[in-house]
Amino acid sequence: MASVSLSSRLNKAVRQQYMSLPQGERVQVTYIWIDGSGEGLRNKTRTLDVEPQTIDDIPEWNFDGSSTYQAEGSNSDMYLVPVRMFRDPFTKDPNKLVLCEVLKYNRLPAETNHRMSCNKVMEEIKEHIIWFGMEQEYTLLGIDGHPYSWPTNGFPRPQGPYYCGVGADKCFGRDIVECHYKACLYAGVNIYGSNAEVMPSQWEYQVGPCEGIEMGDQLWVSRFLLHRVCEDFGVLATLDPKPMTGNWNGAGCHTNVSTKQMREEGGLEFIEQAIEKLGKRHKEHIRMYDPNGGKDNVRRLTGRHETASINDFSAGVANRAASIRIPRQVGQEKKGYFEDRRPSANCDPYAVTKVIAYTCLLHSEDREESEEENIPAM
């Protein structure tokens, strides 16, 4: 039996007794932010006297950055600047979740705040109406770090029957997946779908299409909801791009990209132009596609298990072993979108969408080197 947390075994009927109490006109607002690891999420809650109607109704707040890998104790106050508001599926209406940017004491962005620079790029290319869709893969673990429902001493059957499977011997943790899906819908996350993945206990959900900066906002909040739902069930969701060594698939965050020109008749020409540009900056993109400068993806992008080699750039129609896949339907219709299969499951979506937008729509060989490096920097 998978190891679950003791907290998940608390009496939920008692909890519901308190959760059903009226709260009058006052509202709970949970502030969410990315910590200094670039992967972890933090949150804390405050009371507002009235329900906020827009993001402007939610005040800035602060937190102790020395406890989140973001500051030293001698100068630890960090600013939380609300940027996007969602409904709270855990405490329900009228309560809110609010995603925040983190600023340092001097109001410059924290080192892991890539949203601000991403938004600058998205504003610069706004006329292209760029859409993104990101496919978030993750793996369920017990709190002992062992894949959920895997044999305690051994391994499940080899990969084959699990992808989009059904049945107690093929799908592990579906309750979590379905609760997360409903939580996303309630919150207002633009979740597109979900499915069981190739490795047992591995799942995927898709968010999008989202325009510009909204992609990163939506994906980060969907991740918060995933971790929060898993907490209630007493298990973990890891975004590690290769959680199990050996003959098991890794976990990515495939990123689908489409501009207005790509969606119009003859758009395949612009897709091919974008792919050519991406090929010329492969190394720069690999550096941006996981939070550790490409080191995490080394374990995943091996040229096996539906990946291309991290050292080579490739593209092809309906080819899941390529860096860039053009869906078969897009190849037939000569318009649509392309899929970048390189980003890791634990990537920062702001960093990924920023560098894709920059490379495809802003980069040119005659740009100043300093300007080029400033735009996509981690």
Side-chain angles (χ1 to χ4, degrees):
M1 179 63 185
S3 176
V4 299
S5 70
L6 293 176
S7 295
S8 67
R9 301 175 186 175
L10 293 174
N11 190 321
K12 302 305 179 183
V14 173
R15 178 181 184 274
Q16 188 55 38
Q17 175 184 342
Y18 292 98
M19 295 301 291
S20 61
L21 292 173
Q23 60 188 58
E25 298 297 318
R26 307 185 85 187
V27 177
Q28 291 175 283
V29 177
T30 297
Y31 289 60
I32 303 165
W33 70 97
I34 303 161
D35 70 16
S37 71
E39 300 181 63
L41 287 161
R42 307 293 180 113
N43 69 103
K44 63 176 185 172
T45 304
R46 72 184 293 178
T47 304
L48 298 184
D49 291 332
V50 295
E51 179 181 358
Q53 300 302 310
T54 71
I55 196 69
D56 295 329
D57 296 330
I58 301 175
E60 289 188 12
W61 207 9
N62 58 71
F63 68 95
D64 172 16
S66 67
S67 298
T68 62
Y69 318 119
Q70 290 171 296
E72 296 182 357
S74 60
N75 189 14
S76 64
D77 282 357
M78 310 283 285
Y79 294 104
L80 290 172
V81 181
V83 293
R84 195 171 296 273
M85 183 170 65
F86 298 81
R87 297 167 72 195
D88 188 338
F90 307 108
T91 59
K92 298 183 180 178
D93 291 336
N95 303 312
K96 308 296 182 186
L97 303 176
V98 57
L99 181 67
C100 300
E101 281 193 22
V102 177
L103 302 183
K104 296 186 288 189
Y105 70 95
N106 54 8
R107 299 194 70 83
L108 293 175
E111 281 71 18
T112 54
N113 175 4
H114 302 304
R115 186 184 190 277
M116 189 172 290
S117 60
C118 177
N119 200 32
K120 289 179 181 177
V121 171
M122 296 306 172
E123 286 296 316
E124 193 170 348
I125 59 148
K126 183 178 289 186
E127 72 275 11
H128 292 279
I129 315 178
I130 192 167
W131 293 354
F132 297 97
M134 300 188 81
E135 306 171 19
Q136 179 67 71
E137 295 179 339
Y138 63 94
T139 307
L140 296 176
L141 308 175
I143 59 170
D144 58 359
H146 194 65
Y148 182 75
S149 287
W150 281 34
T152 303
N153 297 305
F155 297 92
R157 288 180 296 165
Q159 295 181 156
Y162 308 108
Y163 173 70
C164 295
V166 61
D169 61 338
K170 301 179 184 69
C171 291
F172 309 143
R174 192 185 294 273
D175 285 350
I176 295 167
V177 174
E178 293 185 341
C179 289
H180 172 249
Y181 203 138
K182 282 296 186 77
C184 285
L185 291 173
Y186 183 95
V189 170
N190 189 22
I191 187 169
Y192 185 86
S194 74
N195 58 270
E197 263 304 329
V198 176
M199 188 178 85
S201 298
Q202 190 180 85
W203 295 81
E204 176 189 295
Y205 65 91
Q206 305 90 33
V207 175
C210 298
E211 183 177 346
I213 194 66
E214 187 179 1
M215 183 69 254
D217 293 349
Q218 295 265 346
L219 193 69
W220 273 116
V221 171
S222 76
R223 288 175 174 178
F224 173 82
L225 296 175
L226 175 64
H227 292 306
R228 183 64 179 75
V229 168
C230 284
E231 179 184 325
D232 283 346
F233 281 94
V235 301
L236 306 175
T238 179
L239 305 187
D240 189 295
K242 189 67 175 179
M244 296 299 293
T245 58
N247 195 25
W248 305 101
N249 273 33
C253 193
H254 304 154
T255 302
N256 301 285
V257 184
S258 178
T259 64
K260 183 175 183 292
Q261 289 177 316
M262 294 176 189
R263 295 188 292 274
E264 294 173 344
E265 291 299 322
L268 184 60
E269 175 187 352
F270 296 98
I271 293 173
E272 291 171 343
Q273 289 176 6
I275 292 173
E276 183 179 359
K277 292 179 180 179
L278 290 168
K280 292 178 179 178
R281 304 190 74 231
H282 176 65
K283 290 183 179 179
E284 289 85 349
H285 280 251
I286 289 297
R287 183 169 58 85
M288 301 293 287
Y289 281 1
D290 73 50
N292 291 299
K295 293 179 182 178
D296 290 343
N297 248 340
V298 168
R299 295 182 286 122
R300 169 179 160 259
L301 297 179
T302 61
R304 300 180 62 210
H305 305 112
E306 300 184 36
T307 70
S309 168
I310 196 170
N311 297 313
D312 303 313
F313 180 85
S314 58
V317 175
N319 185 358
R320 284 178 164 79
S323 307
I324 306 293
R325 180 180 71 95
I326 299 176
R328 190 175 303 281
Q329 182 179 357
V330 173
Q332 293 171 345
E333 297 181 356
K334 310 298 183 185
K335 63 179 180 179
Y337 68 98
F338 66 87
E339 176 192 50
D340 192 333
R341 297 179 59 81
R342 296 171 295 172
S344 67
N346 62 342
C347 69
D348 185 324
Y350 297 129
V352 171
T353 57
K354 174 178 67 174
V355 73
I356 290 175
Y358 175 78
T359 295
C360 295
L361 299 171
L362 291 178
H363 176 71
S364 62
E365 297 295 337
D366 57 356
R367 279 211 173 201
E368 292 291 335
E369 186 70 20
S370 59
E371 179 185 1
E372 174 186 338
E373 292 184 353
N374 284 338
I375 294 289
M378 289 290 283

